[in-house]
């Protein structure tokens, strides 16, 4: 299976969660234990301080096993160097896409400063994953509007709308061909409904691993195990965990 | 005694839970008692059907189901009459959902219902997590106005208002958090280790039918806390509040 939403440790920033220190070997051991073959890894420090250094350190983390760890970097969209950094992280660091977190990073998806950044990703076959599910700046419809401005860019709703916007996430995906939905922190009843009624080839799954205060990432392991209780078919499960993310990553930059 | 602080029975929009299925799941997971609110439509407008459903389930359960009463605050005096009916039918707590019922926690509409709950010594479940009118710190402000009422902060602000749930619990001593959706190795460990909160102010809830109930139980079993603390989470804190 492919986990489309995980994080490095926060090495240089703090949040209210305790977190844990772990290295790539620890993370690969967690993946082995949870049955995760590959993972999209997002910077943790970059959520709070989207700097080139955060991308450098993410790249070093995923370099431990590039066949299994796929890095998505980040930028500060209003920064004048953001398009240049987007190009650098793809061309020089070997990252495969970008993660944006509008409410942590403080911008609206309708700000046109995002457009040249998205164009860099499109030119390199990258993917954009965006935090979603929380107003005011991270609703699925807002992200879908950005996706429609860049129809050649695969855009992933990083949390499938969470608890309150999952119906909006589902409808936005139906109406936006380049929009993908990653079930990650989405409640189980919503996950089941999304899998059963959403676009079958654009549903992904993520654990959000990396935020635990234990290197073993217990909650992420539990989230994988919980899929057994969702009530979805084996074919739906395989599409979400294997076929869809593989297809998306194979189309992404290398 | 293991008490599930919140489930919803009946058929909601995308999920449903029948009373027989609830009882079967409780048996499978060794849950002794579940506090049951009715389905979404019954909370929003069809209050009598909902109160009949939950109090009927409680009456037939041999003590395994505790009924929440519901009444839309927009009904004014009729809402109190509805709660009186539910009380007489056996309800022992009040459930509020400001999103489904369409009001602001601080607009005063719900105050008469909270006054009724205070008179009955009922705990009050309030679902939280949805901005802008179902948030933990908003509930804390409401809890300050009704210090005699114990409020259960349903879903503890899941997910992006979990951090507010911590502050809400610190600021309002008559507020309890619930454990649904909350990983033990991120959120529960943070709340539980806070000396102003501790596990004694967190109550176990499966929030069926929206969850995988076994996962909700497993999370509390796996949480590395002392046995006496786990006993409080799994029912010790809630037991007296619902008259058990």
């Amino acid at each position: 299976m492919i986990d489309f939403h995980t994080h490095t440790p926060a090495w240089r920033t703090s949040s209210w969660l305790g977190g844990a220190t772990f290295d790539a070997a620890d993370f690969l051991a967690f993946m082995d234990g949870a049955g995760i073959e590959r993972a999209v890894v997002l910077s943790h420090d970059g959520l709070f301080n989207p700097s080139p250094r955060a991308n450098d350190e993410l790249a070093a983390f995923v370099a431990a096993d590039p066949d299994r760890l796929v890095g998505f970097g980040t930028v500060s969209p209003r920064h004048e160097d953001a398009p240049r950094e987007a190009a650098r992280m793809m061309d020089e660091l070997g990252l495969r896409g970008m993660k944006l977190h509008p409410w942590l990073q403080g911008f609206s998806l309708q700000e046109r400063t995002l457009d040249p950044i998205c164009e860099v990703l499109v030119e390199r076959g990258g993917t954009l994953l965006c935090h979603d599910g929380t107003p005011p700046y991270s609703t699925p419809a807002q992200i879908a509007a950005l996706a429609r401005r860049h129809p050649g860019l695969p855009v992933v709703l990083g949390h499938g709308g969470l608890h309150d916007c999952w119906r909006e996430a589902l409808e936005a995906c139906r109406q936006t061909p380049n929009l993908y939905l990653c079930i990650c922190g989405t409640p189980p009843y919503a996950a089941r409904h999304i899998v059963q009624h959403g676009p079958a080839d654009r549903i992904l799954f993520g654990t959000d691993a990396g935020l635990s205060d234990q290197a073993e990432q217990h909650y992420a392991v539990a989230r994988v195990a919980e899929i057994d209780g969702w009530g979805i078919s084996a074919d739906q499960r395989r599409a979400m965990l294997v076929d869809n993310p593989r297809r998306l990553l194979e189309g992404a930059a290398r | 005694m293991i008490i599930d602080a919140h489930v919803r029975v009946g058929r909601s929009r995308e999920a449903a839970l029948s009373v027989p299925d609830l009882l079967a799941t409780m048996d499978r997971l060794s849950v002794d008692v579940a506090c049951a609110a009715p389905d979404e439509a019954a909370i929003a407008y069809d209050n009598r059907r909902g109160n009949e459903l939950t109090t009927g389930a409680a009456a037939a359960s041999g003590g395994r189901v505790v009924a929440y009463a519901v009444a839309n605050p927009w009904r004014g005096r009729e809402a109190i009459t509805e709660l009186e009916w539910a009380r007489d039918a056996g309800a022992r707590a009040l459930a509020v959902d400001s999103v489904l019922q369409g009001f602001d926690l601080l607009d005063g509409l719900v105050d008469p219902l909270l006054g009724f709950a205070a008179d009955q010594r009922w705990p009050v479940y309030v679902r939280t997590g949805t901005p802008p009118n179902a948030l933990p710190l908003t509930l804390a402000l409401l809890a300050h106005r009704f210090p005699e009422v114990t409020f259960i902060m349903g879903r503890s602000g899941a997910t992006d208002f979990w951090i507010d749930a911590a502050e809400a619990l610190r600021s309002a001593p008559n507020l309890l958090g619930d454990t649904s959706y909350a990983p033990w190795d991120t959120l529960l460990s943070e709340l539980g280790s806070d000396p102003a909160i501790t596990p004694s102010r967190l109550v176990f809830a499966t929030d069926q039918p929206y969850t995988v109930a076994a996962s909700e139980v497993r999370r509390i079993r796996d949480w590395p806390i002392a046995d006496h603390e786990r006993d409080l989470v799994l029912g010790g804190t809630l037991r007296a509040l619902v008259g058990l």
Side-chain angles (χ1 to χ4, degrees):
Chain A
M1 65 169 282
I2 298 174
D3 183 341
F4 220 87
H5 192 143
T6 74
H7 293 276
T8 68
W11 292 295
R12 301 181 186 279
T13 56
S14 63
S15 77
W16 77 288
L17 295 174
T21 299
F22 56 88
D23 59 21
D26 296 326
F27 200 69
L28 290 162
F30 142 70
M31 290 169 60
D32 290 340
I36 299 168
E37 179 187 358
R38 300 170 76 191
V40 172
V41 186
L42 315 168
S43 171
H44 198 158
D45 290 323
L47 298 177
F48 312 119
N49 183 20
S51 65
R53 183 162 71 175
N55 290 333
D56 291 341
E57 292 174 343
L58 168 67
F61 186 88
V62 300
D65 193 338
D67 290 335
R68 299 185 67 190
L69 304 175
V70 180
F72 279 22
T74 192
V75 297
S76 181
R78 291 198 183 97
H79 197 288
E80 62 179 351
D81 285 337
R84 206 162 21 247
E85 175 60 15
R88 186 188 77 92
M89 73 181 203
M90 302 284 285
D91 298 342
E92 299 179 22
L93 300 182
L95 302 181
R96 306 269 298 276
M98 179 178 289
K99 160 71 181 285
L100 293 175
H101 198 309
W103 73 255
L104 280 180
Q105 296 174 331
F107 61 90
S108 161
L109 290 152
Q110 311 323 317
E111 293 180 43
R112 292 308 192 253
T113 188
L114 283 163
D115 291 339
I117 298 167
C118 291
E119 288 164 11
V120 168
L121 294 174
V122 172
E123 289 165 2
R124 288 158 176 79
T127 295
L128 174 64
L129 185 149
C130 191
H131 172 91
D132 81 305
T134 37
Y137 280 169
S138 299
T139 69
Q142 292 166 338
I143 298 164
L146 175 71
R148 285 195 293 275
R149 294 209 306 273
H150 298 278
L153 176 64
V155 177
V156 179
L157 301 173
H159 289 287
L162 290 172
H163 285 247
D164 299 307
C165 301
W166 66 266
R167 297 178 185 88
E168 178 181 319
L170 179 57
E171 187 59 28
C173 279
R174 285 178 177 140
Q175 296 188 23
T176 313
N178 58 321
L179 192 63
Y180 292 71
L181 190 156
C182 182
I183 294 174
C184 176
T186 324
Y189 82 108
R192 176 173 58 247
H193 191 87
I194 288 166
V195 169
Q196 292 176 344
H197 300 280
D201 59 344
R202 285 186 279 126
I203 295 170
L204 312 168
F205 171 78
T207 62
D208 220 358
L211 309 182
S212 172
D213 58 19
Q214 311 283 320
E216 294 84 356
Q217 309 297 323
H218 293 282
Y219 74 88
V221 176
R223 283 180 171 174
V224 174
E226 191 175 66
I227 298 171
D228 290 341
W230 286 6
I232 61 175
S233 72
D235 287 347
Q236 290 166 333
R237 180 187 178 109
R238 179 177 173 83
M240 175 182 73
L241 296 179
V242 180
D243 298 337
N244 296 344
R246 178 182 291 166
R247 193 182 318 111
L248 183 54
L249 288 177
E250 285 174 353
R254 291 188 179 277
Chain B
M1 173 179 284
I2 297 178
I3 304 173
D4 184 343
H6 185 257
V7 304
R8 284 178 177 169
V9 292
R11 177 164 292 282
S12 292
R13 284 168 289 182
E14 296 93 1
L17 178 66
S18 70
V19 174
D21 283 349
L22 169 64
L23 293 168
T25 300
M26 292 166 63
D27 288 342
R28 182 165 49 87
L29 300 176
S30 300
V31 173
D32 299 292
V33 175
C35 303
D39 56 83
E40 294 162 354
I43 293 170
Y45 72 94
D46 201 355
N47 303 149
R48 176 56 58 89
R49 179 179 62 76
N51 289 325
E52 288 176 346
L53 176 61
T54 57
T55 58
S61 71
R64 300 201 65 196
V65 174
V66 170
Y68 280 108
V70 294
N72 191 312
W74 282 97
R75 295 175 62 192
R77 175 61 211 174
E78 286 181 9
I80 302 302
T81 303
E82 185 62 35
L83 294 185
E84 290 169 344
W85 185 93
R87 176 202 57 198
D88 295 343
R92 279 188 265 171
L94 171 65
V96 168
D97 190 318
S98 54
V99 175
L100 285 175
Q101 295 174 325
F103 68 97
D104 185 310
L105 287 172
L106 300 176
D107 63 13
L109 282 174
V110 78
D111 290 14
L113 282 69
L114 299 179
F116 181 89
D119 292 342
Q120 307 306 315
R121 299 182 184 276
W122 282 0
V124 178
Y125 174 94
V126 182
R127 190 188 65 76
T128 63
T130 305
N133 67 327
L135 295 180
L137 286 166
T138 317
L139 176 58
L141 294 175
L142 184 66
H144 294 160
R145 286 183 8 202
F146 289 87
E148 70 278 29
V149 174
T150 298
F151 291 86
I152 300 167
M153 180 169 52
R155 302 186 184 180
S156 295
T159 57
D160 283 26
F161 293 91
W162 272 329
I163 187 170
D164 288 4
E167 187 60 26
L169 289 165
R170 290 185 203 108
S171 76
N174 55 327
L175 192 57
L176 304 173
D178 95 8
T179 63
S180 59
Y181 309 95
W184 71 258
D185 53 330
T186 57
L187 183 74
L188 296 180
S189 61
E190 292 295 327
L191 298 179
S193 63
D194 188 322
I197 302 173
T198 77
S200 69
R201 298 198 38 220
L202 302 170
V203 297
F204 160 69
T206 64
D207 205 35
Q208 294 176 78
Y210 305 105
T211 60
V212 176
S215 299
E216 298 297 328
V217 174
R218 175 71 185 270
R219 183 178 303 130
I220 306 307
R221 297 286 188 201
D222 288 349
W223 185 12
I225 53 177
D227 287 345
H228 73 275
E229 293 175 316
R230 196 181 329 279
D231 289 345
L232 291 173
V233 174
L234 287 173
T237 294
L238 191 58
R239 185 172 184 169
L241 290 172
V242 292
L244 296 173

mmCIF file of all heavy atoms in Angstrom, chain A residues 116-132:
data_model
loop_
_atom_site.group_PDB
_atom_site.id
_atom_site.type_symbol
_atom_site.label_atom_id
_atom_site.label_comp_id
_atom_site.label_asym_id
_atom_site.label_seq_id
_atom_site.Cartn_x
_atom_site.Cartn_y
_atom_site.Cartn_z
ATOM 1 N N PRO A 116 2.295 31.164 -10.759
ATOM 2 C CA PRO A 116 3.611 30.763 -11.295
ATOM 3 C C PRO A 116 4.206 29.561 -10.563
ATOM 4 O O PRO A 116 4.959 28.778 -11.170
ATOM 5 C CB PRO A 116 4.472 32.020 -11.101
ATOM 6 C CG PRO A 116 3.732 32.896 -10.151
ATOM 7 C CD PRO A 116 2.289 32.568 -10.289
ATOM 8 N N ILE A 117 3.884 29.393 -9.308
ATOM 9 C CA ILE A 117 4.369 28.213 -8.562
ATOM 10 C C ILE A 117 3.750 26.950 -9.142
ATOM 11 O O ILE A 117 4.426 25.938 -9.373
ATOM 12 C CB ILE A 117 4.031 28.367 -7.070
ATOM 13 C CG1 ILE A 117 4.729 29.598 -6.488
ATOM 14 C CG2 ILE A 117 4.394 27.107 -6.299
ATOM 15 C CD1 ILE A 117 4.219 30.015 -5.119
ATOM 16 N N CYS A 118 2.445 27.026 -9.398
ATOM 17 C CA CYS A 118 1.770 25.860 -9.984
ATOM 18 C C CYS A 118 2.310 25.560 -11.375
ATOM 19 O O CYS A 118 2.432 24.384 -11.765
ATOM 20 C CB CYS A 118 0.257 26.115 -10.035
ATOM 21 S SG CYS A 118 -0.526 26.140 -8.414
ATOM 22 N N GLU A 119 2.650 26.609 -12.106
ATOM 23 C CA GLU A 119 3.191 26.383 -13.449
ATOM 24 C C GLU A 119 4.524 25.641 -13.395
ATOM 25 O O GLU A 119 4.814 24.795 -14.240
ATOM 26 C CB GLU A 119 3.331 27.728 -14.176
ATOM 27 C CG GLU A 119 1.979 28.311 -14.579
ATOM 28 C CD GLU A 119 2.065 29.792 -14.930
ATOM 29 O OE1 GLU A 119 3.188 30.308 -15.069
ATOM 30 O OE2 GLU A 119 0.991 30.431 -15.041
ATOM 31 N N VAL A 120 5.323 25.950 -12.387
ATOM 32 C CA VAL A 120 6.585 25.216 -12.206
ATOM 33 C C VAL A 120 6.293 23.731 -11.991
ATOM 34 O O VAL A 120 6.965 22.862 -12.566
ATOM 35 C CB VAL A 120 7.367 25.799 -11.010
ATOM 36 C CG1 VAL A 120 8.528 24.882 -10.623
ATOM 37 C CG2 VAL A 120 7.879 27.194 -11.342
ATOM 38 N N LEU A 121 5.302 23.449 -11.167
ATOM 39 C CA LEU A 121 4.959 22.045 -10.903
ATOM 40 C C LEU A 121 4.451 21.364 -12.173
ATOM 41 O O LEU A 121 4.812 20.212 -12.455
ATOM 42 C CB LEU A 121 3.907 21.957 -9.795
ATOM 43 C CG LEU A 121 4.346 22.425 -8.399
ATOM 44 C CD1 LEU A 121 3.155 22.413 -7.430
ATOM 45 C CD2 LEU A 121 5.469 21.558 -7.851
ATOM 46 N N VAL A 122 3.592 22.054 -12.911
ATOM 47 C CA VAL A 122 3.053 21.465 -14.140
ATOM 48 C C VAL A 122 4.182 21.145 -15.118
ATOM 49 O O VAL A 122 4.231 20.051 -15.711
ATOM 50 C CB VAL A 122 2.022 22.415 -14.782
ATOM 51 C CG1 VAL A 122 1.619 21.898 -16.166
ATOM 52 C CG2 VAL A 122 0.788 22.556 -13.896
ATOM 53 N N GLU A 123 5.104 22.074 -15.271
ATOM 54 C CA GLU A 123 6.209 21.873 -16.229
ATOM 55 C C GLU A 123 7.051 20.653 -15.868
ATOM 56 O O GLU A 123 7.658 20.023 -16.739
ATOM 57 C CB GLU A 123 7.111 23.119 -16.239
ATOM 58 C CG GLU A 123 6.473 24.328 -16.895
ATOM 59 C CD GLU A 123 7.229 25.623 -16.558
ATOM 60 O OE1 GLU A 123 8.254 25.543 -15.843
ATOM 61 O OE2 GLU A 123 6.764 26.688 -16.995
ATOM 62 N N ARG A 124 7.089 20.307 -14.589
ATOM 63 C CA ARG A 124 7.950 19.212 -14.131
ATOM 64 C C ARG A 124 7.155 17.951 -13.776
ATOM 65 O O ARG A 124 7.715 17.002 -13.235
ATOM 66 C CB ARG A 124 8.764 19.687 -12.929
ATOM 67 C CG ARG A 124 9.844 20.683 -13.332
ATOM 68 C CD ARG A 124 10.284 21.545 -12.179
ATOM 69 N NE ARG A 124 11.378 22.425 -12.586
ATOM 70 C CZ ARG A 124 11.191 23.555 -13.277
ATOM 71 N NH1 ARG A 124 9.982 23.935 -13.640
ATOM 72 N NH2 ARG A 124 12.231 24.300 -13.627
ATOM 73 N N GLY A 125 5.885 17.960 -14.069
ATOM 74 C CA GLY A 125 5.070 16.780 -13.763
ATOM 75 C C GLY A 125 4.861 16.553 -12.284
ATOM 76 O O GLY A 125 4.662 15.426 -11.837
ATOM 77 N N GLY A 126 4.885 17.612 -11.500
ATOM 78 C CA GLY A 126 4.718 17.492 -10.055
ATOM 79 C C GLY A 126 3.259 17.442 -9.637
ATOM 80 O O GLY A 126 2.344 17.650 -10.435
ATOM 81 N N THR A 127 3.064 17.152 -8.378
ATOM 82 C CA THR A 127 1.733 17.082 -7.775
ATOM 83 C C THR A 127 1.670 18.074 -6.624
ATOM 84 O O THR A 127 2.645 18.247 -5.900
ATOM 85 C CB THR A 127 1.469 15.655 -7.242
ATOM 86 O OG1 THR A 127 1.436 14.753 -8.352
ATOM 87 C CG2 THR A 127 0.146 15.570 -6.493
ATOM 88 N N LEU A 128 0.515 18.698 -6.466
ATOM 89 C CA LEU A 128 0.299 19.596 -5.326
ATOM 90 C C LEU A 128 -0.655 18.932 -4.352
ATOM 91 O O LEU A 128 -1.755 18.517 -4.728
ATOM 92 C CB LEU A 128 -0.312 20.929 -5.798
ATOM 93 C CG LEU A 128 -0.720 21.906 -4.691
ATOM 94 C CD1 LEU A 128 0.484 22.378 -3.898
ATOM 95 C CD2 LEU A 128 -1.476 23.099 -5.287
ATOM 96 N N LEU A 129 -0.219 18.808 -3.103
ATOM 97 C CA LEU A 129 -1.091 18.321 -2.038
ATOM 98 C C LEU A 129 -1.369 19.483 -1.098
ATOM 99 O O LEU A 129 -0.452 20.184 -0.681
ATOM 100 C CB LEU A 129 -0.427 17.156 -1.286
ATOM 101 C CG LEU A 129 -1.270 16.455 -0.212
ATOM 102 C CD1 LEU A 129 -0.881 14.970 -0.123
ATOM 103 C CD2 LEU A 129 -1.122 17.093 1.160
ATOM 104 N N CYS A 130 -2.625 19.690 -0.770
ATOM 105 C CA CYS A 130 -3.012 20.850 0.026
ATOM 106 C C CYS A 130 -3.821 20.408 1.237
ATOM 107 O O CYS A 130 -4.750 19.599 1.111
ATOM 108 C CB CYS A 130 -3.844 21.793 -0.856
ATOM 109 S SG CYS A 130 -4.136 23.397 -0.108
ATOM 110 N N HIS A 131 -3.471 20.925 2.387
ATOM 111 C CA HIS A 131 -4.317 20.695 3.566
ATOM 112 C C HIS A 131 -5.735 21.167 3.253
ATOM 113 O O HIS A 131 -5.922 22.215 2.634
ATOM 114 C CB HIS A 131 -3.777 21.459 4.778
ATOM 115 C CG HIS A 131 -4.709 21.418 5.951
ATOM 116 N ND1 HIS A 131 -4.636 20.445 6.912
ATOM 117 C CD2 HIS A 131 -5.752 22.225 6.295
ATOM 118 C CE1 HIS A 131 -5.596 20.646 7.808
ATOM 119 N NE2 HIS A 131 -6.288 21.722 7.459
ATOM 120 N N ASP A 132 -6.717 20.430 3.707
ATOM 121 C CA ASP A 132 -8.093 20.872 3.492
ATOM 122 C C ASP A 132 -8.982 20.440 4.647
ATOM 123 O O ASP A 132 -8.564 19.682 5.522
ATOM 124 C CB ASP A 132 -8.663 20.323 2.176
ATOM 125 C CG ASP A 132 -9.142 18.894 2.316
ATOM 126 O OD1 ASP A 132 -8.344 18.054 2.750
ATOM 127 O OD2 ASP A 132 -10.317 18.621 2.023
#
